[in-house]
Amino acid sequence: MQSPAAASPRTAPHPAMVWIPEGSFLMGSDRHYPEEAPTHRVAVKGFWIDTHTVTNAEFKRFVDATGHVTLAERPAKAEDYPGADPELLAPSSVVFQQTPGPVDLGNPHNWWTYQRGADWRHPRGPGSSLQGLWKHPVVHVAFEDAEAYARWAGKSLPTESEWEFAARGGLEGAEYCWGDEFKVRGRSMANTWQGQFPWQNLLEDGYQWTAPVGSFVPNGYGLYDMAGNVWEWTTDWYQEHGRIAHACCTLDNPRGGALEDSYDPRTPAVRIPRRVMKGGSHLCAPNYCHRYRPAARMAQPIDTSTCHLGFRCVVREESS
């Protein structure tokens, strides 16, 4: 695999971006969660990608320039959520709450709460602030907020295949972005949860919440935090890999999935489409969410923002 510097067609279109050369790779995994299977070979055109996720400082510049109001800062429309508790329609976002002891891991409501006043300016709930967090990834951004930022910046959001190809850093089939061992010579390689989630956080990596971008070593392409810290939005509508493995992500058709297939079958009355998010977060732990790997993927409703979901951007050569 060529290094991005060697294959770069010209100077980066924006600061802090690297070139990912055209290539192919085995996408997904047959060894972990069902939604990652089956592995299938995917071809990707070359593109530029941000070396780190968008920070609070960068997002503030966007908001100051445009007046953008994020989804978490606006009340939800009652007609979109039939039968919903009116309290949940107030401006709010999802915040993690560490539990005092072991809980049923089958019920995420044990540690997730919608909190009024939680938003990108108040990332850890009402009363919190961005003081000391300007170099941390922005969170509590819904898909439309990430997309609005990307447009303003003259960029785009990555597809799932672009994101995973870049995250692998040129390592075909490796377990992690940096190789096959979770720790390298005893060193934490990503901001994840150590201990028993969601009650025991040993803080072996030094961070209880998000870490400043670039706090851990980059992958082979020079990209930071492609595992852990925060999940990242991609543009793909969510559906099972098995349905799209032979129909998407070629050089001529890099995007996969369809909106009508992305709805959550568990909530037929609430038809909120879902996009793929990648990379895991600081809340991922071996006993609950071993998803700080390039192949890992989860469905995220486009109307939902959380305290552990952010994004980074790309520029495709034909649009740069």
Side-chain angles (χ1 to χ4, degrees), residues 22-238:
E22 178 179 304
S24 69
F25 72 108
L26 276 177
M27 187 173 183
S29 172
D30 297 322
R31 304 189 305 273
H32 295 284
Y33 297 100
E35 69 271 11
E36 300 170 20
T39 56
H40 52 289
R41 185 152 293 277
V42 173
V44 179
K45 290 183 177 179
F47 60 97
W48 298 92
I49 187 168
D50 290 341
T51 57
H52 59 75
T53 50
V54 173
T55 65
N56 287 311
E58 291 166 333
F59 198 78
K60 182 180 186 298
R61 286 197 288 272
F62 155 66
V63 171
D64 289 347
T66 64
H68 180 84
V69 179
T70 62
L71 194 64
E73 298 172 283
R74 292 178 265 139
K77 298 178 181 178
E79 59 268 27
D80 291 338
Y81 306 94
D85 182 343
E87 278 290 307
L88 296 179
L89 301 179
S92 61
S93 192
V94 180
V95 179
F96 171 76
Q97 289 190 322
Q98 187 168 342
T99 63
V103 295
D104 175 12
L105 294 179
N107 181 9
H109 295 291
N110 283 325
W111 56 85
W112 286 122
T113 61
Y114 273 95
Q115 293 190 16
R116 297 182 67 166
D119 53 47
W120 76 273
R121 301 177 195 271
H122 308 92
R124 298 170 189 175
S128 66
S129 75
L130 294 176
Q131 184 68 33
L133 301 179
W134 294 111
K135 292 184 178 180
H136 287 236
V138 66
V139 292
H140 297 295
V141 282
F143 182 81
E144 66 179 60
D145 304 318
E147 199 169 43
Y149 175 95
R151 282 196 302 268
W152 171 80
K155 302 178 181 180
S156 303
L157 297 179
T159 66
E160 181 181 6
S161 56
E162 287 172 337
W163 193 99
E164 185 170 332
F165 185 53
R168 291 184 177 276
L171 299 177
E172 179 75 63
E175 182 84 346
Y176 303 106
C177 301
W178 52 86
D180 290 318
E181 298 296 326
F182 177 58
K183 285 190 174 183
V184 178
R185 294 185 291 278
R187 181 180 184 180
S188 294
M189 302 297 286
N191 181 14
T192 63
W193 183 286
Q194 299 89 47
Q196 295 296 304
F197 181 87
W199 63 278
Q200 178 196 50
N201 191 347
L202 301 177
L203 303 179
E204 292 173 354
D205 60 11
Y207 297 99
Q208 182 174 6
W209 293 82
T210 57
V213 298
S215 295
F216 296 83
V217 296
N219 74 358
Y221 284 147
L223 304 177
Y224 294 91
D225 305 316
M226 297 301 281
N229 217 18
V230 294
W231 285 93
E232 300 183 27
W233 284 108
T234 75
T235 59
D236 283 42
W237 297 114
Y238 180 83

